[in-house]
Amino acid sequence: MVGLAVLAFGATASANPEIVGKWQLDVARSSALDGWQDMRLVISSQDTQVDIRHEMRWRSTNYRATNTVDTTKPVASDSFFRVEQRHMAVYPAKGGVTHTTAEWIDNNRTLRTETHTPVEVSQGNVMMRITSEYRIGEGGKTLTVIELHSSRSRPLVYFFSKVEEEVSS
């Protein structure tokens, strides 16, 4: 009986392999990037750890940053990346440490993360909560990312298509 419980926990904690790969933003269908022209996600996993690399572009400027989450333990980061909403005047606090938890829900179709990150606003430094869902579409060809920020009244929604690997001859 204990073996079944361990096996069941391991199945829900490990990453869904369909989330792994390169995902290209559908700009027309997604929330505004405010300050960026394009975004690609590159997601990799190992056991319970998921790395989410953001590849951002504005004209000739390219920026890359990776957030790592783990479905079995909280993760702390002093370099957490979030898509800035510059018109909201919410900036990362200098020297702040971000804490993130993650879990698979919806029969391992959705990676849900809960992030608490220190930010600087006009009134000083405060903690912002970001709840994100990375929802894998049927067939593993689409990814919808929904972000709820405690600093915003509306969610940010980003639609991605999986980038098929090019085969060289």
Side-chain angles (χ1 to χ4, degrees):
M1 188 68 152
V2 172
L4 286 177
V6 169
L7 182 61
F9 178 75
T12 59
S14 293
N16 181 333
E18 288 184 323
I19 200 168
V20 171
K22 295 178 183 174
W23 299 92
Q24 181 61 51
L25 180 70
D26 182 338
V27 175
R29 294 179 57 214
S30 299
S31 296
L33 287 176
D34 293 339
W36 302 101
Q37 288 178 306
D38 192 27
M39 174 170 49
R40 181 182 277 200
L41 296 179
V42 180
I43 302 177
S44 59
S45 71
Q46 182 172 352
D47 300 323
T48 61
Q49 184 174 305
V50 179
D51 293 327
I52 304 166
R53 186 172 80 207
H54 295 79
E55 295 181 350
M56 310 297 293
R57 183 178 61 79
W58 174 256
R59 297 186 183 171
S60 64
T61 300
N62 292 300
Y63 182 78
R64 289 178 172 79
T66 302
N67 293 335
T68 298
V69 299
D70 192 309
T71 57
T72 60
K73 63 184 177 189
V75 174
S77 172
D78 60 358
S79 60
F80 179 80
F81 177 79
R82 64 185 174 85
V83 177
E84 296 291 334
Q85 300 297 305
R86 288 178 172 83
H87 65 278
M88 296 292 292
V90 178
Y91 305 100
K94 292 173 182 61
V97 176
T98 298
H99 298 275
T100 303
T101 58
E103 66 178 326
W104 285 100
I105 59 173
D106 303 331
N107 294 319
N108 282 5
R109 301 296 304 164
T110 302
L111 176 65
R112 178 173 48 200
T113 65
E114 182 84 17
T115 300
H116 295 266
T117 187
V119 295
E120 182 181 322
V121 295
S122 59
Q123 296 84 7
N125 288 352
V126 297
M127 222 24 135
M128 180 169 67
R129 181 181 42 78
I130 305 170
T131 302
S132 301
E133 290 191 2
Y134 297 80
R135 296 180 179 179
I136 303 166
E138 290 300 319
K141 301 294 183 198
T142 62
L143 180 70
T144 303
V145 178
I146 303 168
E147 292 186 357
L148 299 170
H149 294 218
S150 60
S151 62
R152 300 178 57 89
S153 59
R154 294 178 184 225
L156 299 169
V157 182
Y158 302 108
F159 296 94
F160 293 86
S161 296
K162 194 159 215 173
V163 176
E164 298 301 325
E165 295 298 322
E166 294 179 15
V167 178
S168 55
S169 47

